[in-house]
C-alpha cells in the first residue's frame, strides 16, 4: 500500500472514531506530521471577516492555538487562502510574503508546503507542513495534503469547529425585505418563489476500501450521465441553433479524457469515486478561477455542472430537479449553473434565474434567453441572503432582485407587469401597420440578431429585416473554430429563417471582451482599444477569408450584404475589400453560383473614420453606426466602468452633432445609413435620431414594438426644426428637453 493510501486509511479511522471535532482535528494534524516526517503541521480555519485562525498544530507553540490570526493575503498562509492554490517553498523565510509571528515559535523552520482547504468552491482554511531543513516538496506530497484537506473540509463544514452562521448573514436582518443588485443577462420582469439550486452532495466516505470497485462505479455513473445528456440533446433537436450547439459542446466536455483520467488517478491513489470527482473539481476550480479570460471562467461553470451531475449519478439520484416539490412559479437561485442543469427544471414553471456568477456569453444565459426568462447575474451571496420559498421579484431590465418584497413593492411590480402585458398587446396591434410617422415619413425598423432563436422574432415583431447579424456569437459557443462547410451551413440556416427580408452580416467582431476559446490571446492593457474586430481579421487573413468564403457560398443566387466592424481608416476598408474580392474570384474559379449582388458596408464606431467620410462613401455601398462604441470612443469613457459609464449622455449635443454630420454626408451621396446601437431601441433616443435624419434603425427584438408605437405618434417636421436650434447648446444633455417635447406633442415614449 502506498504511503498516501496508508495515511488515508488511518484518517478514515480517525473520522469514524468518537470525540469532538477539535479532538479529531488534533489527531489528524498529529498523524500528518508523523506520516510526512514534518517537524510542524498546522491547520488554520476561516473565521468571519476573512480571518484565518490557528486551530491545531504540532511543532508550534501550543499556546498560539486560537490566538494566532492572519488576514486573508497576510503571510504565506494568507497567500495560499487568497489565491486558493497550493504553495511549496524550499526556503520559506526568504519569501517576500513571509510574516513572522513570534507567539508561534517558528524560528528554525525553513521549508513550507501549504494547501487550501476547499469546499463548495470556497476556501474554508489552510493546511500547512514545515521542515527544519531546506528541501523540495514532491508533487505527490502536495497532492496528498490536498486530499487530506478534503477530509478537514468536511470537519469544518459540519459546524462544530466554527458555527456555520458565523460567516453568513444571519440574524433577524436576514428576514427583512432587501434588494440585491447584479447585471442584466436577459431582460424581463418576473415574480415567484425562490428555489435554491444546491446540487452539491455531502460525501460520506472519502477513502476507498476497494479501488477497482470504485472504478467500476465511476464507469457505470459516466454511462448513465452520458445517456441523460443524449436525451437532452434529442429533446433539443427541434429547437436547433446555438441551443443545440451548446449541448453538443457540453457533451464533448463530458467525455474529456484529461478530466476523466485525473479522476481515475485519484481513485487509484485511494479515494472513493465521489471524493475523486470532488477532488479534481476543487483543483480545477482553484486553478481556473485565477484566470481572467472570460471564456475559461465561463467554462468552469460547465465543469461545475458536470461534476454535480456525475456526483448525483454516483449517488443514484440522476436528476437534481424534483418536479413534485416545486412551486408553480419558480425563481431559480444558484451560485453557478450549467446549461443542462437549467434544462432539468420544468420549463412550464420556470419564471426567472438569479445567479452569483455568469455573463452574457455564458452557456446558461444563452439557454435562458432561448427559454425567454429574465436573468440577473453577478448577484453576490444570493444563496446566503435568500431562503427557500422566499417571494422574489426579478427585474431583468435593471439587473436587480427584490427579496421578500413589501406588499407595496409587490403591488407596484404587479402593476408594472400588467402594464408591460398591456403594452405588448398594443405593440401586437400595430405589428402589421406601416412604420410611418404621422406626417408620412417612412422609417425602416430592423432587428439586431446573433442567435438562431432571435430570428424567430422577425415574424412576431413585423420587422423589415435584420440590420445587424453578429456572426461572432455562434463562434463563441463552439469549442473549435468552425471550418468553411460548418459556417456555410450556419449562414444558410440563418438565410432560410430570414426568408426574403434583407439581412446584414457583420464579420467577426472578436477580441476585447469577446474572446474565442480556441485562440490563445495575450492580455491587453486596454482591450477595447486593442487588437480586435477588423484589426484581427486583417492580421489573420486566413480567418477572414474563411468567413467571407462561407458567406459567399451561402448567398448563392441572392444578395449578400456584409459589413466590416471597427474600421478606423479608409485603408483598412480597402484591405478588407481586397480580401473579399479574392474570395469572389475564387468562387468563380470553382464554378460555384455567386450571389446575385454583393453590397459592402462599414460600421462607423471609431471617430477617425468620420473625418474620411467623403473618401469612404466613394468606396462603400452603405454605412451603419455602432453607437455604443462610437460614444465611448468619442468621450474616451469606458462603457464597462460603472464609475463613468453613465457620465456622458447619448443625447448630448456633441454626440448628436457627430451623428448629424454622418447623416448629412450620406444624404449628399445617397448612401444608405442605419444605426444599430442601443440608442435605436430606446423610444426617446430613437425619436431624436429620426429628428436628425435617420430613416433606418436596428434594435433588439423586445424594443421594436415600443419604437414603432413612438414613431407612429410622431410628427417629424416640428421635431427636426426644434433639434436644429439645440445642437449648438453648451449643455450636458438634451434629454429632459426632448422628454418635454415628447410630452407636449403627445409622442408615445
Amino acid at each position: 500500500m502506498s504511503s498516501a493510501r496508508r495515511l488515508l486509511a488511518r484518517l478514515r479511522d480517525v473520522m469514524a472514531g468518537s470525540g469532538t471535532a477539535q479532538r479529531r482535528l488534533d489527531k489528524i494534524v498529529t498523524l500528518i506530521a508523523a506520516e510526512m516526517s514534518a517537524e510542524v503541521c498546522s491547520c488554520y480555519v476561516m473565521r468571519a471577516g476573512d480571518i484565518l485562525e490557528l486551530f491545531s498544530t504540532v511543532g508550534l507553540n501550543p499556546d498560539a492555538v486560537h490566538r494566532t490570526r492572519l488576514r486573508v493575503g497576510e503571510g504565506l498562509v494568507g497567500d495560499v487562502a487568497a489565491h486558493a492554490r497550493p504553495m511549496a517553498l524550499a526556503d520559506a523565510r526568504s519569501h517576500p510574503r513571509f510574516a513572522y509571528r513570534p507567539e508561534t515559535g517558528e524560528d528554525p523552520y525553513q521549508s513550507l508546503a501549504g494547501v487550501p482547504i476547499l469546499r463548495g468552491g470556497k476556501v474554508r482554511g489552510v493546511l500547512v507542513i514545515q521542515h527544519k531543513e531546506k528541501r523540495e516538496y514532491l508533487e505527490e506530497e502536495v497532492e496528498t495534503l490536498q486530499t487530506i484537506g478534503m477530509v478537514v473540509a468536511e470537519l469544518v463544514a459540519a459546524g462544530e469547529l466554527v458555527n456555520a452562521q458565523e460567516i453568513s448573514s444571519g440574524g433577524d436582518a436576514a428576514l427583512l425585505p432587501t434588494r440585491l443588485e447584479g447585471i442584466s443577462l436577459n431582460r424581463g420582469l418576473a415574480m415567484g418563489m425562490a428555489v435554491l439550486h444546491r446540487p452539491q452532495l455531502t460525501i460520506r466516505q472519502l477513502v476507498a476500501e476497494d479501488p477497482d470497485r470504485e472504478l467500476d462505479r465511476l464507469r457505470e455513473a459516466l454511462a448513465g450521465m452520458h445517456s441523460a445528456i443524449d436525451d437532452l440533446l434529442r429533446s433539443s433537436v427541434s429547437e436547433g441553433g446555438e441551443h443545440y450547439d451548446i449541448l453538443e459542446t457540453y457533451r464533448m466536455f463530458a467525455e474529456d479524457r484529461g478530466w476523466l483520467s485525473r479522476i481515475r488517478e485519484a481513485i487509484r491513489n485511494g479515494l472513493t469515486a465521489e471524493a475523486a470527482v470532488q477532488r479534481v473539481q476543487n483543483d480545477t476550480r482553484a486553478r481556473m478561477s485565477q484566470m481572467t479570460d472570460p471564456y475559461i471562467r465561463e467554462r468552469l461553470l460547465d465543469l461545475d455542472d458536470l461534476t454535480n451531475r456525475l456526483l448525483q449519478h454516483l449517488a443514484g439520484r440522476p436528476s437534481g430537479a424534483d418536479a413534485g416539490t416545486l412551486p408553480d412559479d419558480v425563481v431559480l437561485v444558484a451560485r453557478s449553473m450549467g446549461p443542462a442543469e437549467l434544462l432539468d427544471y420544468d420549463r412550464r414553471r420556470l419564471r426567472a434565474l438569479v445567479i452569483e456568477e455568469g455573463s452574457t456569453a455564458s452557456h446558461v444565459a444563452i439557454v435562458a434567453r432561448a427559454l425567454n426568462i429574465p436573468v440577473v447575474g453577478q448577484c453576490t451571496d444570493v444563496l446566503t441572503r435568500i431562503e427557500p420559498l422566499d417571494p422574489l421579484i426579478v427585474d431583468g431590465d435593471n439587473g436587480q432582485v427584490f427579496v421578500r418584497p413589501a406588499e407595496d413593492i409587490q403591488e407596484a411590480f404587479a402593476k408594472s407587469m400588467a402594464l408591460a402585458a398591456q403594452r405588448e398587446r398594443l405593440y401586437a396591434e400595430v405589428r402589421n401597420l406601416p412604420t410611418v410617422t404621422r406626417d408620412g415619413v417612412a422609417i425602416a425598423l430592423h432587428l439586431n440578431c446573433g442567435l438562431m432563436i432571435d430570428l424567430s422574432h422577425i415574424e412576431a415583431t413585423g420587422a423589415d429585416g435584420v440590420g445587424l447579424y453578429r456572426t461572432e456569437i455562434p463562434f463563441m459557443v463552439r469549442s473549435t473554430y468552425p471550418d468553411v462547410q460548418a459556417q456555410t451551413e450556419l449562414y444558410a440556416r440563418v438565410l432560410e429563417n430570414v426568408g426574403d427580408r434583407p439581412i446584414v452580416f457583420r464579420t467577426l467582431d472578436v477580441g476585447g471582451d469577446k474572446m474565442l476559446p480556441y485562440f490563445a490571446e495575450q492580455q491587453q492593457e486596454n482591450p477595447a482599444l486593442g487588437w480586435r474586430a477588423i484589426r484581427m481579421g486583417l492580421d489573420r487573413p486566413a480567418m477572414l477569408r474563411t468567413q467571407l468564403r462561407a458567406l459567399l457560398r451561402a448567398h448563392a443566387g441572392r444578395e449578400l450584404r456584409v459589413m466590416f466592424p471597427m474600421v478606423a481608416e479608409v485603408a483598412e476598408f480597402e484591405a478588407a475589400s481586397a480580401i473579399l474580392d479574392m474570395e469572389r474570384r475564387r468562387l468563380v474559379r470553382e464554378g460555384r453560383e455567386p450571389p446575385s449582388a454583393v453590397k459592402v458596408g462599414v460600421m462607423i464606431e471609431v471617430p477617425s473614420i468620420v473625418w474620411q467620410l467623403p473618401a469612404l462613401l466613394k468606396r462603400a455601398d452603405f454605412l451603419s453606426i455602432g453607437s455604443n462604441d462610437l460614444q465611448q470612443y468619442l468621450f474616451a469613457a469606458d462603457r464597462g466602468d460603472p464609475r463613468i459609464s453613465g457620465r456622458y449622455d447619448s443625447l448630448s449635443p456633441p454626440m448628436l452633432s457627430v451623428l448629424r454630420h454622418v447623416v448629412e454626408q450620406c444624404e449628399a451621396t445617397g448612401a444608405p445609413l442605419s444605426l444599430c446601437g442601443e440608442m435605436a431601441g430606446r423610444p426617446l433616443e430613437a425619436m431624436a435620431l429620426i429628428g436628425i435624419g435617420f430613416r433606418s434603425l436596428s434594435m433588439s427584438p423586445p424594443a421594436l414594438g415600443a419604437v414603432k408605437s413612438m414613431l407612429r405618434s410622431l410628427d417629424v417636421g416640428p421635431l427636426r426644426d426644434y433639434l436644429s436650434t439645440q445642437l449648438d447648446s453648451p449643455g450636458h444633455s438634451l434629454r429632459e428637453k426632448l422628454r418635454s417635447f415628447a410630452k407636449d406633442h403627445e409622442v408615445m415614449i
Side-chain angles (χ1 to χ4, degrees):
M1 183 184 291
S2 68
S3 59
R5 288 183 60 189
R6 184 174 61 249
L7 178 54
L8 284 172
R10 295 184 66 183
L11 285 174
R12 181 182 60 196
D13 295 337
V14 171
M15 292 295 289
S18 59
T20 64
Q22 180 67 57
R23 185 173 179 82
R24 278 180 286 167
L25 180 61
D26 292 340
K27 287 182 179 179
I28 290 172
V29 167
T30 302
L31 189 59
I32 296 169
E35 287 289 336
M36 303 190 76
S37 303
E39 282 81 18
V40 173
C41 179
S42 305
C43 181
Y44 294 80
V45 176
M46 189 73 75
R47 303 296 300 261
D50 286 344
I51 297 295
L52 291 161
E53 181 178 312
L54 179 63
F55 258 66
S56 184
T57 187
V58 169
L60 297 182
N61 182 358
D63 293 337
V65 173
H66 300 304
R67 287 179 52 208
T68 297
R69 293 187 168 196
L70 299 165
R71 295 185 303 276
V72 169
E74 179 184 1
L76 298 176
V77 172
D79 200 54
V80 171
H83 295 94
R85 60 189 178 201
M87 174 184 288
L89 301 170
D91 186 5
R93 294 180 60 80
S94 65
H95 194 280
R97 302 290 297 176
F98 178 80
Y100 174 63
R101 302 301 292 266
E103 73 272 16
T104 64
E106 61 178 334
D107 279 333
Y109 306 111
Q110 299 291 339
S111 305
L112 175 146
V115 298
I117 298 169
L118 298 167
R119 192 174 191 276
K122 294 184 178 180
V123 177
R124 303 304 178 98
V126 176
L127 194 60
V128 182
I129 59 171
Q130 293 171 267
H131 289 82
K132 286 185 178 180
E133 303 298 327
K134 289 184 180 180
R135 54 158 294 184
E136 298 288 343
Y137 289 96
L138 299 175
E139 185 177 342
E140 290 79 3
E141 291 175 307
V142 176
E143 288 183 353
T144 298
L145 275 180
Q146 288 178 289
T147 302
I148 296 167
M150 290 182 62
V151 178
V152 179
E154 296 304 315
L155 210 59
V156 174
E160 294 181 50
L161 291 173
V162 177
N163 190 314
Q165 295 299 316
E166 179 181 319
I167 55 175
S168 68
S169 54
D172 294 338
L175 300 177
L176 296 175
T178 187
R179 181 173 65 89
L180 309 179
E181 292 190 354
I183 65 169
S184 173
L185 302 185
N186 198 36
R187 296 171 61 112
L189 292 175
M191 300 175 67
M193 310 296 283
V195 172
L196 273 55
H197 179 74
R198 284 175 168 152
Q200 186 170 14
L201 303 176
T202 300
I203 300 174
R204 302 296 180 188
Q205 185 175 347
L206 297 171
V207 183
E209 296 180 357
D210 182 355
D212 290 336
R213 171 60 188 143
E214 295 302 312
L215 287 170
D216 288 339
R217 292 182 62 235
L218 175 66
R219 188 160 45 250
E220 293 169 6
L222 283 169
M225 183 180 76
H226 290 158
S227 177
I229 296 172
D230 287 341
D231 290 341
L232 277 176
L233 273 166
R234 280 190 290 272
S235 67
S236 298
V237 167
S238 61
E239 297 173 41
E242 290 72 22
H243 191 163
Y244 183 79
D245 289 341
I246 286 169
L247 290 176
E248 274 195 323
T249 302
Y250 181 85
R251 175 68 160 90
M252 292 170 59
F253 207 173
E255 295 176 328
D256 182 78
R257 292 182 180 180
W259 180 59
L260 296 175
S261 66
R262 288 192 295 273
I263 294 173
R264 293 187 181 106
E265 183 63 26
I267 291 175
R268 295 188 186 100
N269 285 335
L271 292 180
T272 61
E274 290 89 344
V277 171
Q278 191 60 61
R279 156 72 192 281
V280 170
Q281 178 60 4
N282 285 344
D283 293 350
T284 306
R285 173 166 273 278
R287 184 175 67 255
M288 291 174 68
S289 62
Q290 303 301 316
M291 299 181 181
T292 57
D293 187 300
Y295 180 87
I296 292 178
R297 291 180 64 85
E298 290 302 337
R299 297 300 69 77
L300 181 56
L301 304 185
D302 291 349
L303 192 55
D304 282 340
D305 185 341
L306 282 170
T307 295
N308 295 327
R309 189 169 291 270
L310 184 51
L311 287 173
Q312 288 164 358
H313 279 272
L314 283 166
R317 290 160 50 185
S319 176
D322 182 1
T325 63
L326 294 176
D328 290 335
D329 298 307
V330 173
V331 174
L332 204 53
V333 180
R335 180 177 63 81
S336 63
M337 178 173 273
E341 285 178 304
L342 180 62
L343 294 173
D344 279 338
Y345 288 84
D346 185 347
R347 305 180 200 183
R348 295 168 298 179
R349 304 185 188 190
L350 200 55
R351 300 290 176 263
L353 173 64
V354 180
I355 49 179
E356 288 190 14
E357 302 182 10
S359 73
T360 53
S362 66
H363 283 176
V364 72
I366 292 172
V367 172
R369 286 198 289 275
L371 299 178
N372 197 28
I373 59 172
V375 185
V376 174
Q378 297 185 25
C379 205
T380 307
D381 295 332
V382 290
L383 289 177
T384 59
R385 302 168 74 178
I386 296 176
E387 296 295 323
L389 299 182
D390 269 347
L392 301 179
I393 295 173
V394 179
D395 180 1
D397 295 339
N398 299 296
Q400 55 186 354
V401 181
F402 294 84
V403 185
R404 297 173 292 273
E407 285 189 17
D408 57 336
I409 298 292
Q410 292 189 50
E411 290 175 1
F413 267 89
K415 289 179 180 177
S416 294
M417 292 173 69
L419 285 172
Q422 183 179 345
R423 284 196 299 270
E424 289 300 320
R425 289 192 293 271
L426 175 63
Y427 302 156
E429 291 174 3
V430 302
R431 182 188 66 182
N432 296 320
L433 297 178
T435 50
V436 178
T437 64
R438 287 173 58 180
D439 51 352
V441 178
I443 309 293
L445 298 183
H446 297 87
L447 296 185
N448 297 336
C449 299
L451 295 168
M452 203 67 71
I453 191 70
D454 294 334
L455 301 176
S456 64
H457 296 294
I458 297 176
E459 202 66 48
T461 59
D464 294 306
V466 177
L468 169 65
Y469 187 84
R470 302 181 179 96
T471 59
E472 64 274 3
I473 296 180
F475 284 66
M476 293 170 69
V477 300
R478 292 173 180 261
S479 57
T480 58
Y481 186 82
D483 59 18
V484 174
Q485 182 178 348
Q487 290 189 54
T488 303
E489 292 172 355
L490 169 65
Y491 302 139
R493 290 207 311 270
V494 171
L495 292 170
E496 183 181 347
N497 279 269
V498 171
D500 295 332
R501 294 179 177 87
I503 178 171
V504 178
F505 287 86
R506 181 178 69 186
T507 59
L508 282 177
D509 186 8
V510 293
D513 60 346
K514 293 181 287 190
M515 302 307 301
L516 297 180
Y518 27 81
F519 288 162
E521 307 296 348
Q522 295 180 346
Q523 291 296 314
Q524 301 182 68
E525 190 167 330
N526 194 335
L529 298 179
W531 193 57
R532 52 173 292 204
I534 197 61
R535 298 169 181 176
M536 185 182 292
L538 293 176
D539 288 350
R540 289 188 170 177
M543 180 179 74
L544 182 58
R545 289 189 67 173
T546 298
Q547 183 175 31
L548 293 173
R549 190 179 309 157
L551 283 167
L552 287 165
R553 290 181 182 180
H555 281 78
R558 67 178 288 169
E559 183 178 83
L560 165 62
R561 300 185 188 190
V562 63
M563 176 168 61
F564 298 117
M566 206 179 171
V567 173
E569 58 182 3
V570 171
E572 286 181 336
F573 175 72
E574 289 183 325
S577 296
I579 293 175
L580 175 59
D581 289 340
M582 290 170 60
E583 287 304 319
R584 294 178 70 179
R585 291 192 294 271
R586 178 189 181 117
L587 195 72
V588 173
R589 289 197 307 270
E590 293 176 346
R592 298 177 183 271
E593 183 181 5
S596 59
V598 177
K599 302 293 185 184
V600 189
V602 172
M603 195 126 183
I604 304 297
E605 301 166 279
V606 183
S608 59
I609 197 66
V610 173
W611 311 116
Q612 281 196 301
L613 284 177
L616 179 64
L617 288 170
K618 293 177 182 177
R619 295 161 174 82
D621 296 307
F622 65 92
L623 303 183
S624 183
I625 292 179
S627 60
N628 300 350
D629 274 338
L630 179 61
Q631 181 177 338
Q632 77 164 340
Y633 297 144
L634 184 66
F635 290 108
D638 182 359
R639 59 189 169 106
D641 186 339
R643 294 168 297 183
I644 57 173
S645 60
R647 187 182 187 94
Y648 303 101
D649 196 343
S650 58
L651 293 180
S652 64
M655 182 69 177
L656 292 176
S657 295
V658 169
L659 295 175
R660 176 60 190 159
H661 173 72
V662 178
V663 169
E664 289 172 344
Q665 294 286 313
C666 289
E667 285 177 344
T669 61
L673 172 67
S674 183
L675 186 142
C676 58
E678 290 182 10
M679 286 183 74
R682 298 174 182 147
L684 185 64
E685 282 88 336
M687 182 187 80
L689 293 172
I690 293 170
I692 60 174
F694 281 89
R695 298 297 177 259
S696 176
L697 302 173
S698 191
M699 63 208 68
S700 62
L704 194 139
V707 172
K708 186 169 184 176
S709 296
M710 177 278 296
L711 72 87
R712 286 183 54 82
S713 66
L714 172 68
D715 280 308
V716 178
L719 175 62
R720 181 180 57 240
D721 295 342
Y722 176 71
L723 277 170
S724 66
T725 67
Q726 298 296 318
L727 293 185
D728 292 332
S729 167
H732 170 69
S733 171
L734 300 181
R735 183 170 298 275
E736 291 309 315
K737 290 183 177 180
L738 286 167
R739 200 184 302 277
S740 297
F741 177 93
K743 183 178 180 181
D744 293 343
H745 292 77
E746 298 181 340
V747 181
M748 293 178 58
I749 59 167

